[in-house]
Amino acid sequence: METPPSPTVSVVVPVYKAEAWLPRCVESLLAQAFPDFELLLIDDGSPDGCGALCDGFACRDGRVRALHQTNGGASSARNAGIRAARGRYLTFVDSDDLVSPHLLQAAAEAAGAFPGDFVFWAYADERSLLHTGPLTSSPIPFAPSEIGRLYISAKLGAVWAMLFDTALLQQGIFFDESLEMGEDLEFVFRYARALFSARPGSCFRYLPDPLYFYDNDGKAGSLSRRFPPDFCACWSRVFEALLAQNREFFHMPEQDEYAILHNYMRTVGVGLYALLTQPGVSNAQRRAAARGVLQSPPITRLTALFFERRYYSPYAWPFRLKWLWAIRRIGAWQEREGINGYYRHYWVGYAIHRRLHPGSPAPV
């Protein structure tokens, strides 16, 4: 039996408890204007009817392959897709999202026009904003050193809005299955370093038309929802990995690194607020857990760095002095008012900080 020719693109879709959304997702992929792709549906031990749906799609369309595994989480399913992929390039799609009919065509054309570059694209969180026609804008280049700026501006970090070199991934770049959160971000930084190391002179190449609809309905929650017990430790691992990649390879401008450090401290602050307000736990237990995070080596180093470099964060002094009441108050701002409430207080504090330290970096 002859081996079928390798497609240009492999599309990997992890599937778990997505029976209501999967048909919509698959239909948007099978409607692509670019036909040279394979669709890998990775049934991650879903307990509903997803497995049968995957098999049904595979029977109806020869471009679809259904793979089944015991439940291991999204990273495990994506890793299975990487191992099974036959395409020259690979992209990921979440099973409850959908894509523009011109996504794969635009991505493949950009990869062909700019060989070796890291192609990625804009996404929409409202379906009406999804770009459904051919591209109207030219790809925008960004230097590898701008990786921090791309991340902070929400252009980088979502693996479902990127095109990867399959062969490079299969050489050993897989998702860290021990990370419950932030695994996308850690994976992207690691892949970007490997790509730019292998291909000096290459860069990021951004397609500004929204080609992917990220259906956020019901996915977001408040700060008071139950966070995993290791939320702070997990995100510390992720941010420490990003900062190490920057020191060793990317060498981004100081302001961009400051933005990542600020986001690191704010993310841990959110986790501390969740610890300090978790239900069913005594106040003494909450405080002990929060102090344990603040006394951990990564957070101790992070806090010291803010004072050494005269960086500003509303959390900096509360972290240094272990002011749990202040951390809880800052978290409450975000709980009541969202990120805009946080930044309103941020700007007030920064104005005072800048008067005391005129040489401090500009705010993020």
Side-chain angles (χ1 to χ4, degrees):
M1 182 174 181
E2 293 185 7
T3 302
S6 298
T8 300
V9 183
S10 295
V11 182
V12 174
V13 181
V15 179
Y16 185 75
K17 290 185 177 180
E19 192 172 6
W21 303 288
L22 185 62
R24 180 188 71 169
C25 172
V26 172
E27 287 164 10
S28 77
L29 288 163
L30 297 181
Q32 291 296 297
F34 181 84
D36 189 19
F37 70 93
E38 66 171 354
L39 175 55
L40 303 178
L41 301 176
I42 315 297
D43 169 28
D44 188 37
S46 188
D48 55 11
C50 282
L53 280 175
C54 293
D55 289 336
F57 286 121
C59 288
R60 290 193 294 272
D61 194 305
R63 293 171 297 179
V64 181
R65 284 196 284 154
L67 284 73
H68 304 273
Q69 64 176 37
T70 57
N71 178 245
S75 290
S76 173
R78 286 171 174 165
N79 286 340
I82 292 172
R83 294 186 181 97
R86 296 194 298 247
R88 168 71 178 83
Y89 302 103
L90 183 149
T91 190
F92 299 99
V93 173
D94 280 357
S95 57
D96 50 356
D97 297 337
L98 66 152
V99 302
S100 164
H102 294 275
L103 168 63
L104 297 184
Q105 180 178 12
E109 287 178 354
F114 305 100
D117 284 0
F118 191 165
V119 176
F120 66 115
W121 45 88
Y123 62 90
D125 55 11
E126 293 182 26
R127 187 169 181 175
S128 62
L129 299 178
L130 182 68
H131 188 87
T132 56
L135 257 64
T136 58
S137 304
S138 299
I140 303 170
F142 292 91
S145 62
E146 295 181 276
I147 189 170
R149 189 170 307 168
L150 291 172
Y151 159 61
I152 292 298
S153 62
K155 290 185 175 69
L156 200 69
V159 294
W160 34 254
M162 299 174 175
L163 191 69
F164 299 94
D165 183 297
T166 304
L168 185 58
L169 292 178
Q170 291 177 342
Q171 288 173 17
I173 302 175
F174 296 97
F175 289 87
D176 185 342
E177 297 180 22
S178 69
L179 289 172
E180 294 186 38
M181 297 156 288
E183 68 282 358
D184 283 21
L185 190 54
E186 187 273 339
F187 175 85
V188 168
F189 268 66
R190 190 156 36 88
Y191 172 81
R193 176 177 179 173
L195 180 70
F196 297 140
S197 296
R199 299 167 186 171
S202 57
C203 67
F204 293 101
R205 194 70 60 166
Y206 178 63
L207 309 179
D209 294 315
L211 298 171
Y212 188 104
F213 170 51
Y214 172 60
D215 192 350
N216 196 35
D217 184 28
K219 295 178 185 176
S222 71
L223 294 179
S224 60
R225 72 185 189 275
R226 186 179 298 277
F227 279 27
D230 61 346
F231 177 92
C232 294
C234 184
W235 276 108
S236 290
R237 282 181 56 199
V238 171
F239 280 108
E240 291 293 328
L242 305 192
L243 294 167
Q245 296 283 10
N246 181 48
R247 288 191 301 270
E248 296 166 8
F249 182 79
F250 291 106
H251 308 297
M252 65 182 70
E254 182 185 6
Q255 184 175 346
D256 294 353
E257 185 182 48
Y258 165 50
I260 290 181
L261 287 164
H262 170 265
N263 203 38
Y264 181 3
M265 183 169 278
R266 185 177 66 83
T267 301
V268 174
V270 167
L272 287 169
Y273 174 77
L275 282 176
L276 291 167
T277 57
Q278 61 180 320
V281 180
S282 70
N283 191 48
Q285 290 174 311
R286 296 172 184 168
R287 295 171 68 86
R291 286 199 181 96
V293 171
L294 291 171
Q295 292 167 357
S296 66
I299 305 309
T300 300
R301 289 194 301 269
L302 174 67
T303 305
L305 190 61
F306 266 73
F307 285 90
E308 290 169 10
R309 297 186 181 179
R310 296 183 176 180
Y311 289 164
Y312 173 70
S313 166
Y315 284 108
W317 277 105
F319 274 33
R320 186 178 192 178
L321 299 177
K322 312 296 188 293
W323 284 346
L324 302 184
W325 61 269
I327 293 169
R328 183 165 178 162
R329 178 70 59 84
I330 297 168
W333 294 340
Q334 295 185 76
E335 176 74 7
R336 291 195 306 266
E337 306 172 52
I339 195 65
N340 291 333
Y342 169 84
Y343 274 107
R344 184 167 62 252
H345 292 88
Y346 171 94
W347 281 102
V348 172
Y350 177 77
I352 298 170
H353 177 84
R354 188 65 181 265
R355 284 182 174 273
L356 297 173
H357 305 289
S360 61
V364 296

